[in-house]
Amino acid sequence: MVGRAYAIFDTAIGRCGIVWSNSGVVAVQLPEAREIDTRRRIFQVHPEAREQAVPVNTELAIEGIVSLLQGSEPDFSDVSLDAGHVPAFNRRVYEYACTIPRGETRTYHEIAKALGASGAAHSVAQAISRNPYMIIVPCHRVLEAGGYADRISPYGGVISKRRLLALEGAHPIASKTLFEVLLPVAPPRSPS
């Protein structure tokens, strides 16, 4: 195989996509509302990828993804990732995310601190938002301060972090209330 290839596969939440190279998995695309949209997302990011038969490494990744999305414990220990296009800091974040136990979460700040870059919570958030290895690298276990689970990477399709965490038995705070969003930016009230 030269370049990149992809496959579409069935899971409990819909048809997912996976992209790989000779070096390993390049990206995982969780399902969009329609399969054509999942394929379109793959082509937007990896226009050179062609649909091909799945090699052993990619099959192991697919089995793990299917397992997690059925609520079981996946095993990604033998799955190779192609991280040639991933910045070094992001790789460190992804390696740390892989150590977070199933059913647990960490905040961006906690990961930044654990990596020895305590002021880099924003950089951790950026790395998580760019995670191409959905499910394999469990970015859904990394939340913003306060344990909110609303955002997911562009490869997330229509599924949310909340849904992925619920499959694992974790229960983050669903979303911010209107007061939590507006209060920090509201002008101070003058005493009456």
Side-chain angles (χ1 to χ4, degrees):
M1 178 186 84
V2 177
R4 295 182 176 167
Y6 80 95
I8 302 293
F9 59 97
D10 290 315
T11 71
I13 63 165
R15 295 187 49 81
C16 293
I18 191 164
V19 180
W20 69 90
S21 70
N22 287 330
S23 301
V25 173
V26 173
V28 174
Q29 175 63 54
L30 293 181
E32 296 287 345
R34 301 176 308 162
E35 180 182 333
I36 190 72
D37 296 326
T38 303
R39 289 176 182 273
R40 187 174 293 125
R41 180 72 65 99
I42 289 171
F43 288 130
Q44 285 174 346
V45 181
H46 306 282
E48 75 287 1
R50 298 294 173 254
E51 194 163 14
Q52 293 186 11
V54 178
V56 173
N57 179 67
T58 304
E59 186 61 42
L60 291 171
I62 290 171
E63 288 171 7
I65 293 165
V66 168
S67 175
L68 184 135
L69 295 175
Q70 288 175 334
S72 301
E73 181 81 32
D75 180 11
F76 295 113
S77 59
D78 292 329
V79 175
S80 298
L81 302 177
D82 180 346
H85 62 290
V86 177
F89 182 79
N90 293 19
R91 281 194 297 253
R92 290 179 57 211
V93 170
Y94 302 155
E95 288 167 7
Y96 185 87
C98 288
T99 68
I100 302 169
R102 177 184 170 89
E104 294 184 24
T105 61
R106 302 289 184 275
T107 65
Y108 302 138
H109 177 73
E110 289 171 324
I111 291 179
K113 188 174 177 182
L115 295 177
S118 60
H122 180 73
S123 296
V124 169
Q126 291 297 310
I128 291 298
S129 74
R130 292 183 175 105
N131 175 21
Y133 314 111
M134 294 295 302
I135 307 294
I136 299 170
V137 171
C139 63
H140 57 279
R141 296 177 188 160
V142 183
L143 309 176
E144 63 181 277
Y148 299 105
D150 288 336
R151 296 185 196 144
I152 198 156
S153 91
Y155 294 95
V158 295
I159 192 168
S160 69
K161 281 188 177 191
R162 284 188 306 271
R163 186 162 177 198
L164 291 172
L165 289 168
L167 286 168
E168 295 185 342
H171 301 287
I173 297 169
S175 61
K176 293 181 181 181
T177 67
L178 181 60
F179 293 108
E180 290 168 315
V181 172
L182 296 178
L183 196 55
V185 295
R189 297 179 89 178
S190 59
S192 307

